[in-house]
Amino acid sequence: MTRQLSVRRTTIQGQRILENRLFDTRHLSEDLARPLSPEDMTVQAMEDASPTKWHLAHVTWFFETFILTKHLPGYRVFDETFNYCFNSYYESQGPRQPRPRRGVLTRPSAERVLAYRAHVDAGLADLFARGVETGSEIARLIEIGINHEQQHQELLLTDILALFAANPLRPAYRARRPHAVEPEPAAPGWSEFPGGLHRIGHDGAGFAWDNEAPRHDALVHPFRLADRAVTNAEWLEFMADGGYREAAHWLADGWTAVNREGWDAPLYWEKHDGQWLAMSLEGLLPVEHAAPVCHISYYEADAFARWAGKRLPTEFEWEIATQGISDAAIAPVAAEPRSLPADSPRQMFGAVWQWTLSAYLPYPGYRPPAGALGEYNGKFMVSQQVLRGSSCATPPGHTRATYRNFFYPHQRWQFMGLRLASEIS
Ligand SMILES: [Fe+2]
């Protein structure tokens, strides 16, 4: 085989892999929406959450706006009014439906949104038929579009849970998956890590968001990290010990939130006949003692850590702890990473997003990318905390050791939990 032929084959292979990933991702979004009625897909449970129909349309608008209108000759915009309806927060793309009012979009119908998806998918297929060079600008944008849609797949599940938890019938999104009830785990073990300068951030191999770079040195003091996430059983102890009633455990803003919101348990927990139940995608179920606690705010995570005489890890400490974990352990959605060295922390990925002590700030030398997509991450770098890992709702292939998720400290509707850390004195 001549070199030229071999290069061409590699290019075609690279294009096919990208195309398959794109359409697998597009199909997964529709699969996730399949158990839902058009009514389920339209209602917005609260300001932070978006309707399923909006998610399905917005990720499609993203491909249409940032790729097809610019790079597919002769592309016809499906509906000029959709830019207003389905632009999320891109100032560069003009005015938009306010986020808290996405639930009033009874029109366009769910059926028309699916027709929109089909129209844009046909455009994307056309783009690939014309050739998408590996490493080209178009390939890069498609990769961003895939990762963007994956983020919304997780949000779609998160937001459906918020909706069904607000419904007095407490419907289940899906049937309960068979699983063994784990015994209550023993007290956590502690892994020790040395201090010094550590390399932090994405090394440039494979996809990463702009906020994961530049890779840089961070000075870290010696620390200990719990080898598992905090469990519901431990959270029940915190509650029984008056954790939600003792101001001394709480940051001032957290204590204000506790009193304003009347928090006395994680979001979605409700007490029936003396037993705690929690709303989940599988319906209202007894709180499982061995499972990681989920749906807690940063304020609650911080208060728990203080009550336990520990603290949350910084995002750097968290990342350092994953550096011995193989990629195979990170990959699929699994409550328990596989193939870990015996002394590695467990549940770093696939269980709950883990609050860190780190404010969401730019890494040294960070510059938002030029153009509209510069609005993706950089402009949110204030007043939020970083969460690391991934959750049970994170789609396959969307997990990385350097991934920086971020939410406001009062928010708790994501699949959020915590892991403890401490100094080595
Ligand atoms: Fe988005």
Side-chain angles (χ1 to χ4, degrees):
M1 189 163 46
T2 64
R3 192 175 173 277
Q4 230 178 4
L5 238 161
S6 136
V7 168
R8 174 148 175 75
R9 249 182 220 176
T10 315
T11 308
I12 290 172
Q13 240 175 16
Q15 168 169 332
R16 193 145 302 150
I17 290 169
L18 184 65
E19 187 175 6
N20 288 342
R21 285 188 45 242
L22 168 65
F23 287 107
D24 285 353
T25 305
R26 298 285 291 160
H27 293 149
L28 178 58
S29 300
E30 290 173 20
D31 288 346
L32 291 174
R34 221 172 296 284
L36 304 172
S37 69
E39 294 87 347
D40 293 333
M41 289 170 62
T42 302
V43 174
Q44 178 170 24
M46 57 168 185
E47 287 197 1
D48 286 332
S50 300
T52 298
K53 191 171 76 177
W54 187 90
H55 285 301
L56 292 177
H58 161 71
V59 291
T60 305
W61 167 86
F62 192 95
F63 281 112
E64 179 177 71
T65 304
F66 298 124
I67 299 176
L68 296 180
T69 57
K70 294 186 169 63
H71 299 285
L72 181 62
Y75 176 74
R76 178 180 58 81
V77 167
F78 182 77
D79 186 324
E80 298 286 349
T81 65
F82 281 15
N83 188 61
Y84 183 88
C85 297
F86 301 122
N87 174 7
S88 51
Y89 52 65
Y90 294 89
E91 299 294 342
S92 60
Q93 303 306 308
R96 68 214 72 98
Q97 175 71 357
R99 182 180 175 139
R101 296 184 52 77
R102 290 174 183 165
V104 304
L105 294 170
T106 53
R107 311 286 177 92
S109 66
E111 199 183 353
R112 187 151 166 80
V113 164
L114 291 178
Y116 180 37
R117 288 185 66 89
H119 175 85
V120 166
D121 282 348
L124 290 166
D126 194 3
L127 199 64
F128 274 99
R130 289 161 187 256
V132 173
E133 291 272 331
T134 306
S136 65
E137 173 65 2
I138 299 179
R140 190 185 72 85
L141 290 170
I142 290 171
E143 189 63 58
I144 291 175
I146 291 170
N147 279 272
H148 173 249
E149 184 146 353
Q150 289 176 320
Q151 285 186 325
H152 278 276
Q153 288 168 349
E154 177 155 2
L155 286 168
L156 187 156
L157 292 174
T158 310
D159 295 352
I160 276 297
L161 175 56
L163 182 68
F164 282 3
N167 187 307
L169 305 180
R170 303 287 191 274
Y173 164 77
R174 64 181 175 220
R176 193 164 191 203
R177 291 170 174 169
H179 70 292
V181 175
E182 301 282 329
E184 263 179 55
W190 294 87
S191 305
E192 296 199 352
F193 296 87
L197 284 177
H198 291 263
R199 297 295 286 164
I200 294 295
H202 195 256
D203 64 8
F207 179 83
W209 293 113
D210 55 303
N211 62 7
E212 297 168 52
R215 193 162 163 80
H216 63 284
D217 286 330
L219 177 61
V220 170
H221 297 285
F223 67 98
R224 282 192 192 94
L225 192 71
D227 66 356
R228 61 165 172 77
V230 168
T231 62
N232 286 325
E234 289 162 337
W235 202 267
L236 285 162
E237 277 178 50
F238 169 66
M239 288 162 58
D241 197 38
Y244 280 96
R245 297 190 302 273
E246 177 51 68
H249 304 318
W250 294 81
L251 293 165
D253 287 354
W255 188 239
T256 302
V258 165
N259 289 296
R260 187 185 56 231
E261 306 296 332
W263 289 345
D264 62 358
L267 182 63
Y268 304 141
W269 283 33
E270 43 190 286
K271 209 170 196 176
H272 291 262
D273 302 325
Q275 189 191 12
W276 282 105
L277 307 180
M279 185 57 185
S280 71
L281 289 170
E282 296 165 0
L284 189 60
L285 295 171
V287 165
E288 261 183 55
H289 284 203
V293 67
C294 193
H295 300 298
I296 49 153
S297 62
Y298 176 79
Y299 297 136
E300 288 163 287
D302 180 84
F304 179 95
R306 230 174 273 266
W307 167 80
K310 304 285 191 287
R311 61 169 173 79
L312 299 176
T314 67
E315 64 168 321
F316 302 141
E317 291 168 342
W318 195 100
E319 187 171 321
I320 290 163
T322 63
Q323 285 170 355
I325 298 179
S326 70
D327 285 349
I330 295 175
V333 180
E336 206 61 26
R338 289 170 291 183
S339 333
L340 294 186
D343 58 346
S344 285
R346 293 168 293 135
Q347 296 172 327
M348 298 297 272
F349 301 98
V352 284
W353 287 101
Q354 293 157 43
W355 285 108
T356 74
L357 208 50
S358 302
Y360 179 47
L361 293 172
Y363 284 168
Y366 170 81
R367 296 278 177 279
L373 291 177
E375 293 189 57
Y376 202 107
N377 285 307
K379 71 181 187 182
F380 300 109
M381 290 174 173
V382 66
S383 307
Q384 306 204 51
Q385 292 296 124
V386 173
L387 297 97
R388 290 302 197 103
S390 59
S391 83
C392 57
T394 308
H398 197 73
T399 291
R400 282 187 296 285
T402 57
Y403 202 108
R404 305 175 80 201
N405 207 345
F406 49 93
F407 283 94
Y408 291 99
H410 68 278
Q411 291 178 318
R412 52 186 202 159
W413 96 110
Q414 260 298 340
F415 292 82
M416 310 155 147
L418 79 156
R419 156 187 318 266
L420 296 175
S422 72
E423 326 295 340
I424 299 177
S425 45

